[in-house]
Amino acid sequence: MENLRLSQNDHNELEYQSGFGNNFESEALPGALPRGQNSPLICPWLYRIKPSVTHEPLKPRVPAHDRLVSEFDKTNSCAGIAQLRWMPVEIPNSSTDFIDGLYTVCGAGSSFLHHGFAIHMYAANKSMDNCAFCSADGDFLIVPQKGRLSVKTEFGRLQVCPGEILVLPQGLRFAIDLPDGPSSGYVAEIFGAHFELPDLGPIGFTIVQKFGGELFAAKQDFSPFNVVAWHGNYCPYKYDLSKFCPYNTALIDHADPSIYTALTVATDKPGVPLLNFMVFPPRWFVAEHTFRPQYYHRNCMSEFMGRIFGGNVTVDGVLPGGATLECCMTPHGLGLKTYDHHLLLQEFIHVAIKHALPEEFVYDYNSGSNGDGALIFAPGCQTNAAAFNMTLPRLQTNVAVDFNMALPCVQVHM
């Protein structure tokens, strides 16, 4: 995994500015960035070669994109309490770029009300040619699972590998090229808020803008990336997940899983986020007299989990590129094989064991304004899709009953 990431970065000649939430500045030519003021007489806002307003009127895109959802209710989705699972998405046979390969898996809330989120996945086999995309609905957090993304934005270029994440702020125009060919991955879109660190071409372009879950398009005769200078802190950024340092228990039991939070979307209630982006990298388990994997449990928040690395290794039936969804207060946990395997390891409770499974991430979300849990809707087109798989709960139905009143210590399930 690490060697793959290093070999990809060896070909990356881009230079990056470091820091999260810092004020940055950049200029294409010396003197392009004004000094001492933001809006001088001879430099238009954002210091473009040509103003971005000079395009044809936005009109509904034809053909319409019918797999994007931004308003989640019972008229277009189903709110199921069962555990859901999706197999890895297949790369389409027809020519498909990032825009047409993007589709909604689940979500909650409303982009028009500026509260909620949508979880998308994408599968593409071609670069975006003479086209730029932006979402007026919210920020994009992109997690590539297969293939690098070469992303051109109004603030410059970024190259994002599997094992890294990319955040594109609301309203930012961008285009995605595929240097490795076919690519797939995950996208979290946030309505009405932004991610933050937790307290812990000249030949003409088509601009495609997402608004209210629908796509609109406009033509313009210049590149949307004609920015020659900029400054501020509202800009895209990426993060290498291999640099995330996990913490763990040093003696017994488990720490609160919030220690794995890399990014969060805050609400007006302290301690109740709209969405957490959590990273579960390879790590050591050293706790004594402790069932070391996460045990069967229920949450007030819902969980959407994706897997990035691992080849064809399956963990409880979930392959890299696949996904699972556990809604608010739905019991979930290990599959039977994983459960039995770790029970057999209990005789080695004083031996450190490295959890070296494929790298995982979780979108942990709560659409309730008072922290009362999330009602997650999955569009019918996804629960009926060929990649949808409902076998996950069956992996847990045959867990043995270990309760025995004659023993001083018994195993109790949640």
Side-chain angles (χ1 to χ4, degrees):
M1 178 179 70
E2 197 66 31
N3 291 336
L4 172 65
R5 186 175 297 145
L6 290 175
S7 64
Q8 291 173 337
N9 286 338
D10 285 343
H11 298 90
N12 187 357
E13 300 177 354
L14 303 178
E15 296 182 0
Y16 299 92
Q17 301 185 68
S18 298
F20 184 93
N22 293 353
N23 282 294
F24 302 105
E25 62 181 39
S26 178
E27 53 188 2
L29 295 171
L33 183 66
R35 306 296 177 185
Q37 67 177 113
N38 289 327
S39 302
L41 181 63
I42 61 172
C43 261
W45 175 244
L46 206 54
Y47 322 129
R48 295 177 178 273
I49 296 174
K50 191 174 182 180
S52 57
V53 70
T54 53
H55 59 70
E56 297 178 2
L58 284 164
K59 300 178 181 179
R61 186 171 179 255
V62 179
H65 196 314
D66 58 2
R67 297 197 299 167
L68 288 176
V69 179
S70 68
E71 308 299 305
F72 295 91
D73 55 45
K74 291 185 178 180
T75 64
N76 62 4
S77 310
C78 60
I81 196 171
Q83 297 169 256
L84 308 181
R85 182 176 68 179
W86 289 265
M87 300 300 287
V89 60
E90 295 184 0
I91 301 297
N93 295 321
S94 58
S95 181
T96 305
D97 63 13
F98 176 82
I99 299 175
D100 291 319
L102 186 68
Y103 62 94
T104 305
V105 176
C106 60
S110 164
S111 63
F112 290 121
L113 297 178
H114 300 290
H115 183 77
F117 59 89
I119 304 298
H120 313 292
M121 296 178 74
Y122 69 89
N125 56 22
K126 62 168 287 190
S127 300
M128 293 171 57
D129 299 324
N130 301 321
C131 180
F133 180 73
C134 81
S135 174
D137 293 334
D139 291 5
F140 270 24
L141 190 161
I142 301 178
V143 184
Q145 189 274 323
K146 176 182 180 181
R148 289 176 297 167
L149 303 180
S150 180
V151 186
K152 183 185 295 183
T153 79
E154 296 171 275
F155 297 88
R157 294 190 299 149
L158 303 97
Q159 183 168 272
V160 188
C161 306
E164 297 179 328
I165 60 172
L166 171 69
V167 175
L168 297 166
Q170 176 187 13
L172 178 76
R173 293 177 177 179
F174 63 91
I176 292 181
D177 293 336
L178 309 178
D180 298 331
S183 179
S184 60
Y186 313 84
V187 179
E189 184 178 18
I190 301 301
F191 307 143
H194 299 291
F195 286 100
E196 59 188 57
L197 291 177
D199 290 337
L200 330 148
I203 58 176
F205 271 80
T206 298
I207 305 299
V208 180
Q209 182 157 322
K210 179 176 176 292
F211 180 75
E214 298 184 27
L215 299 185
F216 298 81
K219 298 286 187 179
Q220 64 183 45
D221 60 0
F222 62 94
S223 170
F225 311 116
N226 63 351
V227 179
V228 295
W230 62 273
H231 70 98
N233 59 10
Y234 192 79
C235 57
Y237 56 91
K238 73 168 191 172
Y239 176 66
D240 185 347
L241 296 181
S242 69
K243 297 179 179 178
F244 184 82
C245 181
Y247 292 85
N248 219 326
T249 302
L251 186 60
I252 61 171
D253 293 341
H254 289 262
D256 189 280
S258 61
I259 62 173
Y260 298 106
T261 301
L263 291 172
T264 189
V265 180
T267 64
D268 55 2
K269 184 174 182 179
V272 183
L274 173 65
L275 184 144
N276 285 332
F277 176 74
M278 306 173 72
V279 182
F280 293 90
R283 58 203 181 275
W284 286 94
F285 288 143
V286 300
E288 298 178 359
H289 197 67
T290 298
F291 189 77
R292 289 171 175 174
Q294 192 177 43
Y295 201 62
Y296 300 108
H297 60 285
R298 291 175 290 176
N299 301 327
C300 63
M301 298 182 72
S302 298
E303 297 178 356
F304 180 92
M305 187 201 78
R307 193 177 302 281
I308 302 173
F309 293 118
N312 292 321
V313 176
T314 176
V315 180
D316 289 344
V318 182
L319 287 164
T324 64
L325 171 64
E326 285 93 19
C327 289
C328 168
M329 290 302 170
T330 296
H332 58 281
L334 302 172
L336 179 59
K337 289 183 179 179
T338 306
Y339 173 80
D340 288 341
H341 171 73
H342 282 278
L343 280 183
L344 293 175
L345 293 177
Q346 295 309 297
E347 59 182 294
F348 304 107
I349 58 176
H350 295 293
V351 179
I353 299 175
K354 187 173 184 179
H355 177 88
L357 295 175
E359 194 160 33
E360 305 167 348
F361 72 90
V362 169
Y363 296 130
D364 204 27
Y365 37 77
N366 175 26
S367 63
S369 59
N370 296 315
D372 51 359
L375 182 61
I376 308 303
F377 291 87
C381 61
Q382 291 310 312
T383 54
N384 295 323
F388 181 69
N389 188 305
M390 272 291 293
T391 62
L392 185 60
R394 299 171 193 157
L395 297 173
Q396 301 151 346
T397 55
N398 295 320
V399 175
V401 176
D402 294 325
F403 185 84
N404 188 336
M405 294 185 64
L407 297 178
C409 181
V410 296
Q411 190 75 55
V412 180
H413 302 297
M414 293 294 289

